[in-house]
Amino acid sequence: MSNEAMRQTWAGAGSGWVENESIFDSLFTPFTEALASAAQLSAGQRLLDIGCGSGTLLAVAADAGAQPVGVDISAAMVDAARRRVPSATVVLADAQSDDLLATAPGPAFDQVVSRFGVMFFADPVAAFANIRRASTPGAGLAFACWRDDDNPMFTLGVDVLTARLDPSPAPPSPTAPGPRSFGDPDRVRRILTESGWGDIGIEPVDAEMDFGFAGTDGIEERLGTILAGTTGSRARAELEPRLGAQGWEELLDEVRASLRSALTGTSLVMPGRIWLVTARNPD
């Protein structure tokens, strides 16, 4: 089963995430720290970051003295990660189907990590089996994925844009590749078990995501993350030509107004709810 649909999606969306790298890094700091702690990063460890994005975890691993290798299907993400962490090996590849040790030659991996990068596989069992084959016996796996609880990250402000799309996008299947596809912990456990991983742990982690981290009210920062996502990218591509420049700006003002209505203080703060998943490659 091919990941071509996700490859095409991230060919466009990857650049938006790179442009908003500092925003995402700040929002996700609590999750990055929890993930790094769970992975027990250490000097000399050969580490594989799946869906490495612009290189946040690669930088953390390098600072810990590990030997980081990143893989992503977005060329824009790969280029950004290479710039950010020159000491890391970063490859443009599909972790579901590519031979990871041939793509990034070297010893098998001692640790595998991912921050919101493993929910996009067309065949997740095949993907995690492929990743396990590139790992040493006893290697650890640690990743963060969104829970199926109400995460406003996927709705607040986004709903203003989706209401104007024609046709309006149907709610995604809970198992379709995408950011929310690992919301069901039983499904995650089943995928990892079927792909050969053991000692599986799935723990909830909650944190506040403050869009006003730079001293603003966070409205423009939130708008930037919306437009960087797949729905925002689709809305811009479809609605800006239809509405014209002025109409598009008026629609963005509607999004801003919706976001301001959610302010509870001086900045926009959202709850973030994830699963922190750990596992081990059996000896």
Side-chain angles (χ1 to χ4, degrees), residues 17-39:
W17 279 71
V18 171
E19 291 170 7
N20 291 277
E21 172 186 302
S22 62
I23 299 175
F24 287 116
D25 275 358
S26 179
L27 295 177
F28 297 160
T29 292
F31 307 132
T32 302
E33 292 175 348
L35 184 53
S37 176

PDB file of all heavy atoms in Angstrom, residues 17-39:
ATOM      1  N   TRP A  17       4.619  24.500   7.308  1.00  0.00           N
ATOM      2  CA  TRP A  17       5.092  24.133   8.639  1.00  0.00           C
ATOM      3  C   TRP A  17       6.486  24.694   8.888  1.00  0.00           C
ATOM      4  O   TRP A  17       6.801  25.128   9.991  1.00  0.00           O
ATOM      5  CB  TRP A  17       5.074  22.615   8.800  1.00  0.00           C
ATOM      6  CG  TRP A  17       3.712  22.104   9.131  1.00  0.00           C
ATOM      7  CD1 TRP A  17       2.633  22.053   8.298  1.00  0.00           C
ATOM      8  CD2 TRP A  17       3.258  21.611  10.386  1.00  0.00           C
ATOM      9  NE1 TRP A  17       1.538  21.545   8.958  1.00  0.00           N
ATOM     10  CE2 TRP A  17       1.883  21.260  10.244  1.00  0.00           C
ATOM     11  CE3 TRP A  17       3.879  21.411  11.617  1.00  0.00           C
ATOM     12  CZ2 TRP A  17       1.142  20.738  11.284  1.00  0.00           C
ATOM     13  CZ3 TRP A  17       3.131  20.885  12.659  1.00  0.00           C
ATOM     14  CH2 TRP A  17       1.777  20.565  12.484  1.00  0.00           C
ATOM     15  N   VAL A  18       7.328  24.685   7.866  1.00  0.00           N
ATOM     16  CA  VAL A  18       8.675  25.239   8.020  1.00  0.00           C
ATOM     17  C   VAL A  18       8.604  26.732   8.319  1.00  0.00           C
ATOM     18  O   VAL A  18       9.317  27.251   9.188  1.00  0.00           O
ATOM     19  CB  VAL A  18       9.518  24.963   6.758  1.00  0.00           C
ATOM     20  CG1 VAL A  18      10.837  25.720   6.811  1.00  0.00           C
ATOM     21  CG2 VAL A  18       9.761  23.464   6.609  1.00  0.00           C
ATOM     22  N   GLU A  19       7.721  27.439   7.617  1.00  0.00           N
ATOM     23  CA  GLU A  19       7.576  28.874   7.838  1.00  0.00           C
ATOM     24  C   GLU A  19       7.128  29.193   9.256  1.00  0.00           C
ATOM     25  O   GLU A  19       7.440  30.255   9.797  1.00  0.00           O
ATOM     26  CB  GLU A  19       6.573  29.453   6.833  1.00  0.00           C
ATOM     27  CG  GLU A  19       7.075  29.469   5.397  1.00  0.00           C
ATOM     28  CD  GLU A  19       5.965  29.812   4.412  1.00  0.00           C
ATOM     29  OE1 GLU A  19       4.856  30.167   4.875  1.00  0.00           O
ATOM     30  OE2 GLU A  19       6.208  29.709   3.198  1.00  0.00           O
ATOM     31  N   ASN A  20       6.392  28.269   9.864  1.00  0.00           N
ATOM     32  CA  ASN A  20       5.868  28.483  11.216  1.00  0.00           C
ATOM     33  C   ASN A  20       6.592  27.627  12.256  1.00  0.00           C
ATOM     34  O   ASN A  20       6.053  27.361  13.334  1.00  0.00           O
ATOM     35  CB  ASN A  20       4.374  28.184  11.234  1.00  0.00           C
ATOM     36  CG  ASN A  20       3.561  29.200  10.459  1.00  0.00           C
ATOM     37  OD1 ASN A  20       3.228  30.270  10.964  1.00  0.00           O
ATOM     38  ND2 ASN A  20       3.245  28.879   9.209  1.00  0.00           N
ATOM     39  N   GLU A  21       7.806  27.251  11.949  1.00  0.00           N
ATOM     40  CA  GLU A  21       8.579  26.360  12.807  1.00  0.00           C
ATOM     41  C   GLU A  21       8.658  26.860  14.248  1.00  0.00           C
ATOM     42  O   GLU A  21       8.457  26.102  15.199  1.00  0.00           O
ATOM     43  CB  GLU A  21       9.987  26.221  12.229  1.00  0.00           C
ATOM     44  CG  GLU A  21      10.985  25.496  13.093  1.00  0.00           C
ATOM     45  CD  GLU A  21      12.386  25.553  12.494  1.00  0.00           C
ATOM     46  OE1 GLU A  21      12.560  25.090  11.346  1.00  0.00           O
ATOM     47  OE2 GLU A  21      13.287  26.061  13.171  1.00  0.00           O
ATOM     48  N   SER A  22       8.947  28.148  14.443  1.00  0.00           N
ATOM     49  CA  SER A  22       9.123  28.668  15.800  1.00  0.00           C
ATOM     50  C   SER A  22       7.819  28.603  16.590  1.00  0.00           C
ATOM     51  O   SER A  22       7.829  28.396  17.814  1.00  0.00           O
ATOM     52  CB  SER A  22       9.639  30.110  15.750  1.00  0.00           C
ATOM     53  OG  SER A  22       8.701  30.965  15.112  1.00  0.00           O
ATOM     54  N   ILE A  23       6.686  28.771  15.910  1.00  0.00           N
ATOM     55  CA  ILE A  23       5.397  28.693  16.590  1.00  0.00           C
ATOM     56  C   ILE A  23       5.134  27.259  17.059  1.00  0.00           C
ATOM     57  O   ILE A  23       4.816  27.013  18.226  1.00  0.00           O
ATOM     58  CB  ILE A  23       4.259  29.169  15.668  1.00  0.00           C
ATOM     59  CG1 ILE A  23       4.469  30.631  15.259  1.00  0.00           C
ATOM     60  CG2 ILE A  23       2.909  28.998  16.357  1.00  0.00           C
ATOM     61  CD1 ILE A  23       3.450  31.139  14.262  1.00  0.00           C
ATOM     62  N   PHE A  24       5.285  26.307  16.141  1.00  0.00           N
ATOM     63  CA  PHE A  24       5.041  24.914  16.504  1.00  0.00           C
ATOM     64  C   PHE A  24       6.005  24.458  17.603  1.00  0.00           C
ATOM     65  O   PHE A  24       5.607  23.734  18.531  1.00  0.00           O
ATOM     66  CB  PHE A  24       5.169  24.011  15.280  1.00  0.00           C
ATOM     67  CG  PHE A  24       4.021  24.132  14.322  1.00  0.00           C
ATOM     68  CD1 PHE A  24       4.209  24.612  13.032  1.00  0.00           C
ATOM     69  CD2 PHE A  24       2.740  23.770  14.700  1.00  0.00           C
ATOM     70  CE1 PHE A  24       3.150  24.728  12.149  1.00  0.00           C
ATOM     71  CE2 PHE A  24       1.669  23.877  13.826  1.00  0.00           C
ATOM     72  CZ  PHE A  24       1.879  24.364  12.546  1.00  0.00           C
ATOM     73  N   ASP A  25       7.265  24.869  17.519  1.00  0.00           N
ATOM     74  CA  ASP A  25       8.231  24.465  18.535  1.00  0.00           C
ATOM     75  C   ASP A  25       7.814  24.962  19.913  1.00  0.00           C
ATOM     76  O   ASP A  25       7.923  24.237  20.904  1.00  0.00           O
ATOM     77  CB  ASP A  25       9.624  25.000  18.191  1.00  0.00           C
ATOM     78  CG  ASP A  25      10.379  24.102  17.236  1.00  0.00           C
ATOM     79  OD1 ASP A  25       9.843  23.040  16.874  1.00  0.00           O
ATOM     80  OD2 ASP A  25      11.499  24.458  16.844  1.00  0.00           O
ATOM     81  N   SER A  26       7.343  26.208  19.988  1.00  0.00           N
ATOM     82  CA  SER A  26       6.924  26.746  21.275  1.00  0.00           C
ATOM     83  C   SER A  26       5.676  26.037  21.789  1.00  0.00           C
ATOM     84  O   SER A  26       5.610  25.634  22.955  1.00  0.00           O
ATOM     85  CB  SER A  26       6.668  28.253  21.154  1.00  0.00           C
ATOM     86  OG  SER A  26       6.249  28.788  22.391  1.00  0.00           O
ATOM     87  N   LEU A  27       4.681  25.868  20.926  1.00  0.00           N
ATOM     88  CA  LEU A  27       3.437  25.216  21.335  1.00  0.00           C
ATOM     89  C   LEU A  27       3.677  23.804  21.847  1.00  0.00           C
ATOM     90  O   LEU A  27       3.068  23.363  22.820  1.00  0.00           O
ATOM     91  CB  LEU A  27       2.463  25.161  20.159  1.00  0.00           C
ATOM     92  CG  LEU A  27       1.934  26.475  19.598  1.00  0.00           C
ATOM     93  CD1 LEU A  27       1.040  26.201  18.396  1.00  0.00           C
ATOM     94  CD2 LEU A  27       1.173  27.257  20.654  1.00  0.00           C
ATOM     95  N   PHE A  28       4.573  23.087  21.176  1.00  0.00           N
ATOM     96  CA  PHE A  28       4.762  21.665  21.455  1.00  0.00           C
ATOM     97  C   PHE A  28       5.890  21.398  22.457  1.00  0.00           C
ATOM     98  O   PHE A  28       6.230  20.234  22.695  1.00  0.00           O
ATOM     99  CB  PHE A  28       5.059  20.907  20.160  1.00  0.00           C
ATOM    100  CG  PHE A  28       3.937  20.939  19.147  1.00  0.00           C
ATOM    101  CD1 PHE A  28       4.190  20.676  17.805  1.00  0.00           C
ATOM    102  CD2 PHE A  28       2.637  21.243  19.522  1.00  0.00           C
ATOM    103  CE1 PHE A  28       3.168  20.707  16.859  1.00  0.00           C
ATOM    104  CE2 PHE A  28       1.608  21.284  18.595  1.00  0.00           C
ATOM    105  CZ  PHE A  28       1.872  21.015  17.260  1.00  0.00           C
ATOM    106  N   THR A  29       6.460  22.446  23.060  1.00  0.00           N
ATOM    107  CA  THR A  29       7.575  22.254  23.985  1.00  0.00           C
ATOM    108  C   THR A  29       7.273  21.231  25.082  1.00  0.00           C
ATOM    109  O   THR A  29       8.104  20.347  25.352  1.00  0.00           O
ATOM    110  CB  THR A  29       8.004  23.588  24.608  1.00  0.00           C
ATOM    111  OG1 THR A  29       8.587  24.413  23.599  1.00  0.00           O
ATOM    112  CG2 THR A  29       9.030  23.384  25.719  1.00  0.00           C
ATOM    113  N   PRO A  30       6.102  21.277  25.746  1.00  0.00           N
ATOM    114  CA  PRO A  30       5.858  20.269  26.791  1.00  0.00           C
ATOM    115  C   PRO A  30       5.861  18.842  26.260  1.00  0.00           C
ATOM    116  O   PRO A  30       6.325  17.916  26.947  1.00  0.00           O
ATOM    117  CB  PRO A  30       4.470  20.648  27.326  1.00  0.00           C
ATOM    118  CG  PRO A  30       4.265  22.070  26.935  1.00  0.00           C
ATOM    119  CD  PRO A  30       4.987  22.237  25.633  1.00  0.00           C
ATOM    120  N   PHE A  31       5.381  18.658  25.038  1.00  0.00           N
ATOM    121  CA  PHE A  31       5.338  17.318  24.460  1.00  0.00           C
ATOM    122  C   PHE A  31       6.730  16.866  24.023  1.00  0.00           C
ATOM    123  O   PHE A  31       7.084  15.697  24.154  1.00  0.00           O
ATOM    124  CB  PHE A  31       4.369  17.294  23.283  1.00  0.00           C
ATOM    125  CG  PHE A  31       2.998  17.818  23.632  1.00  0.00           C
ATOM    126  CD1 PHE A  31       2.366  18.751  22.825  1.00  0.00           C
ATOM    127  CD2 PHE A  31       2.350  17.402  24.785  1.00  0.00           C
ATOM    128  CE1 PHE A  31       1.115  19.246  23.139  1.00  0.00           C
ATOM    129  CE2 PHE A  31       1.093  17.895  25.123  1.00  0.00           C
ATOM    130  CZ  PHE A  31       0.470  18.816  24.296  1.00  0.00           C
ATOM    131  N   THR A  32       7.507  17.812  23.513  1.00  0.00           N
ATOM    132  CA  THR A  32       8.889  17.493  23.134  1.00  0.00           C
ATOM    133  C   THR A  32       9.676  17.047  24.354  1.00  0.00           C
ATOM    134  O   THR A  32      10.417  16.058  24.309  1.00  0.00           O
ATOM    135  CB  THR A  32       9.559  18.716  22.495  1.00  0.00           C
ATOM    136  OG1 THR A  32       8.804  19.134  21.354  1.00  0.00           O
ATOM    137  CG2 THR A  32      10.985  18.400  22.074  1.00  0.00           C
ATOM    138  N   GLU A  33       9.506  17.762  25.467  1.00  0.00           N
ATOM    139  CA  GLU A  33      10.240  17.422  26.686  1.00  0.00           C
ATOM    140  C   GLU A  33       9.806  16.066  27.229  1.00  0.00           C
ATOM    141  O   GLU A  33      10.647  15.256  27.655  1.00  0.00           O
ATOM    142  CB  GLU A  33      10.033  18.523  27.723  1.00  0.00           C
ATOM    143  CG  GLU A  33      10.700  19.839  27.337  1.00  0.00           C
ATOM    144  CD  GLU A  33      10.385  20.971  28.308  1.00  0.00           C
ATOM    145  OE1 GLU A  33       9.466  20.787  29.150  1.00  0.00           O
ATOM    146  OE2 GLU A  33      11.047  22.020  28.234  1.00  0.00           O
ATOM    147  N   ALA A  34       8.501  15.796  27.211  1.00  0.00           N
ATOM    148  CA  ALA A  34       8.013  14.501  27.697  1.00  0.00           C
ATOM    149  C   ALA A  34       8.531  13.364  26.824  1.00  0.00           C
ATOM    150  O   ALA A  34       8.909  12.291  27.324  1.00  0.00           O
ATOM    151  CB  ALA A  34       6.489  14.499  27.720  1.00  0.00           C
ATOM    152  N   LEU A  35       8.573  13.596  25.537  1.00  0.00           N
ATOM    153  CA  LEU A  35       9.037  12.575  24.602  1.00  0.00           C
ATOM    154  C   LEU A  35      10.531  12.316  24.766  1.00  0.00           C
ATOM    155  O   LEU A  35      10.981  11.157  24.787  1.00  0.00           O
ATOM    156  CB  LEU A  35       8.720  13.037  23.182  1.00  0.00           C
ATOM    157  CG  LEU A  35       9.013  12.100  22.021  1.00  0.00           C
ATOM    158  CD1 LEU A  35       8.382  10.734  22.241  1.00  0.00           C
ATOM    159  CD2 LEU A  35       8.511  12.719  20.719  1.00  0.00           C
ATOM    160  N   ALA A  36      11.314  13.378  24.898  1.00  0.00           N
ATOM    161  CA  ALA A  36      12.756  13.220  25.077  1.00  0.00           C
ATOM    162  C   ALA A  36      13.063  12.457  26.363  1.00  0.00           C
ATOM    163  O   ALA A  36      13.971  11.612  26.403  1.00  0.00           O
ATOM    164  CB  ALA A  36      13.436  14.589  25.092  1.00  0.00           C
ATOM    165  N   SER A  37      12.280  12.732  27.419  1.00  0.00           N
ATOM    166  CA  SER A  37      12.481  12.021  28.681  1.00  0.00           C
ATOM    167  C   SER A  37      12.140  10.541  28.524  1.00  0.00           C
ATOM    168  O   SER A  37      12.866   9.666  29.007  1.00  0.00           O
ATOM    169  CB  SER A  37      11.619  12.659  29.769  1.00  0.00           C
ATOM    170  OG  SER A  37      11.724  11.942  30.981  1.00  0.00           O
ATOM    171  N   ALA A  38      11.035  10.244  27.843  1.00  0.00           N
ATOM    172  CA  ALA A  38      10.632   8.856  27.656  1.00  0.00           C
ATOM    173  C   ALA A  38      11.636   8.080  26.819  1.00  0.00           C
ATOM    174  O   ALA A  38      11.839   6.880  27.026  1.00  0.00           O
ATOM    175  CB  ALA A  38       9.258   8.803  26.999  1.00  0.00           C
ATOM    176  N   ALA A  39      12.272   8.760  25.863  1.00  0.00           N
ATOM    177  CA  ALA A  39      13.236   8.095  24.980  1.00  0.00           C
ATOM    178  C   ALA A  39      14.585   7.870  25.643  1.00  0.00           C
ATOM    179  O   ALA A  39      15.414   7.118  25.119  1.00  0.00           O
ATOM    180  CB  ALA A  39      13.422   8.923  23.709  1.00  0.00           C
TER     181      ALA A  39
END
